[in-house]
Each structure stands twice: as structure tokens, then as C-alpha cells.
Amino acid sequence: GNSVTQMEGPVTLSEEAFLTINCTYTATGYPSLFWYVQYPGEGLQLLLKATKADDKGSNKGFEATYRKETTSFHLEKGSVQVSDSAVYFCALSPNTGNQFYFGTGTSLTVIP
Amino acid sequence: EADIYQTPRYLVIGTGKKITLECSQTMGHDKMYWYQQDPGMELHLIHYSYGVNSTEKGDLSSESTVSRIRTEHFPLTLESARPSHTSQYLCASSEAGDYSGNTIYFGEGSWLTVV
């Protein structure tokens, strides 16, 4: 079956610290992988995505690399800002494209 | 930038009232979804549609109903609201097509409080 497991939060970091949020997946075939971000009181926004193995998605200083050998798609940022405080969701869409599977979300708080 | 709109954004209603949450998208997407989410918590799929006149129940059982009479419109209705329905409801849409790489786009959410 298809599923996503992501690192439990909450995560609290100081400004300019390095961020890693782990995400691993189970899927048949070759899914696409996504990271979404949800700011307080808002819906989810696409942060980045990768559609095939070894692809790197990047946006706003965030990066994630599609690792088929470890079935992972970890989110990283070299220097977080207070404005990055949000909940981050890892997701996958199987190669049939008919459904989306979300992780449980990881809450990040960045303190000045 | 996603063009998917939800109204109302915030609603407080009394127990037993009927409510409809509206969702519209201007991207021409065939697939639309409703998720229920408690604050900062995981998403639960409650309804989805693959096109006009198509509606299916999702993974989480819900007393709400949906309809899809037009491609761009996917309203959710609660016939008799209860305090247990208090939650955030997120509408989403994606392209059709049997291929990976589709992106799902979300509206800003409707916060429902039943008192």
C-alpha cells in the first residue's frame, strides 16, 4: 500500500539553525513526492516536489531529494527564519495519479 | 498561485442548523477533494470527486454530503450541525490524468465552530 511517515514534532529551532524534517514513504511503483507548508490559519501551500528518483525539489531555500534506495524525501534548510514557523506535510501521489497520501505533519517553531 | 476559493472562512453556528461550505476553483480541474483537519493536525479525506456527477466518500466517515453539478464548484453540506463537527474544512483540487506528478492545490480553509 501507499503511506507516508514523517518525523514527529514539535520542532523548535533558533533562527539561522539548520533544519531537517525526515520523511519516508511506502509506495508501489514510482510515486511523485511533495512537501506542503501550512501557516497558521491558512490552507496548505505547495513548497516543493520531485517526480522521479534523484530529483531535487527546491524553493525558498528549502530542498528535498527523492531517494529511491532509502525511500526518503527529507526536507532541509540551511538557515531557518522566524517566518518559517509553520506545519510541514510530506505527501506522495502514486504513479496512477489518482490519490494523495499525506504524513501527519511536523510543527516547526523558529525563535529569534 | 492556486485559484481555489472557499467561503465562508469563519463560521459560528448553533447546533441543529444546516450549513453549506462553498468551494470553487478556476483551474478547470476535474478532481476535487474535501479534507477535515483539527488545528495543526493531520488531514482526513472525507469526500472526493473525479468529475461532474461523481462523488465518493473518503477515508474518514463524515455526516456531511457533497455535490458536483459543475466542474468548478464542490459544495459541502451539513444538514444538522453538532459541536463534534467543529473543525477546519479544506477544499482542494488537482488535474485529472493517470500519471504521477499531479499537484494538489488547497483553498485557505473554512473554520467551522458549532455551539
Side-chain angles (χ1 to χ4, degrees):
Chain A
N2 299 291
S3 67
V4 174
T5 301
Q6 65 179 99
M7 178 173 137
E8 293 213 5
V11 175
T12 302
L13 294 174
S14 297
E15 208 165 20
E16 299 184 3
F18 185 86
L19 168 71
T20 299
I21 301 177
N22 290 338
C23 172
T24 57
Y25 68 90
T26 302
T28 51
Y30 303 94
S32 285
L33 301 173
F34 307 82
W35 277 101
Y36 282 82
V37 59
Q38 184 179 34
Y39 299 104
E42 298 184 9
L44 277 69
Q45 302 174 23
L46 177 66
L47 181 59
L48 53 85
K49 74 177 188 181
T51 58
K52 60 183 187 297
D54 300 325
D55 266 2
K56 178 186 284 188
S58 61
N59 186 23
K60 299 180 182 179
F62 290 90
E63 292 184 340
T65 301
Y66 187 162
R67 302 281 188 204
K68 190 172 186 303
E69 63 276 13
T70 54
T71 62
S72 66
F73 193 55
H74 304 321
L75 183 68
E76 297 182 335
K77 187 175 186 183
S79 176
V80 293
Q81 305 301 312
V82 172
S83 57
D84 294 326
S85 298
V87 180
Y88 293 82
F89 290 89
C90 186
L92 74 82
S93 177
N95 57 359
T96 58
N98 280 333
Q99 197 50 279
F100 291 85
Y101 298 84
F102 288 88
T104 53
T106 302
S107 175
L108 170 67
T109 301
V110 180
I111 54 177
Chain B
E1 192 81 14
D3 295 317
I4 180 163
Y5 307 101
Q6 292 185 238
T7 57
R9 289 290 318 279
Y10 303 94
L11 180 64
V12 180
I13 61 168
T15 298
K17 298 292 187 185
K18 176 180 178 179
I19 63 116
T20 296
L21 304 180
E22 302 287 350
C23 177
S24 295
Q25 50 95 3
T26 59
M27 297 173 282
H29 289 167
D30 283 326
K31 297 180 183 177
M32 296 190 74
Y33 314 80
W34 277 103
Y35 288 86
Q36 185 174 342
Q37 183 191 32
D38 291 328
M41 304 291 283
E42 62 186 295
L43 301 168
H44 296 287
L45 181 66
I46 52 174
H47 298 284
Y48 61 98
S49 166
Y50 285 162
V52 171
N53 293 327
S54 149
T55 61
E56 302 286 346
K57 290 190 178 296
D59 306 321
L60 179 69
S61 175
S62 174
E63 293 166 348
S64 59
T65 58
V66 292
S67 62
R68 190 88 183 276
I69 298 172
R70 303 199 314 267
T71 298
E72 63 272 20
H73 196 213
F74 192 42
L76 180 146
T77 298
L78 275 167
E79 291 291 335
S80 179
R82 296 207 304 265
S84 60
H85 297 139
T86 295
S87 190
Q88 179 177 213
Y89 294 84
L90 293 169
C91 182
S93 72
S94 68
E95 292 177 353
D98 261 2
Y99 66 95
S100 189
N102 274 336
T103 299
I104 185 170
Y105 297 95
F106 286 84
E108 292 195 322
S110 292
W111 286 91
L112 174 64
T113 302
V114 184
V115 298

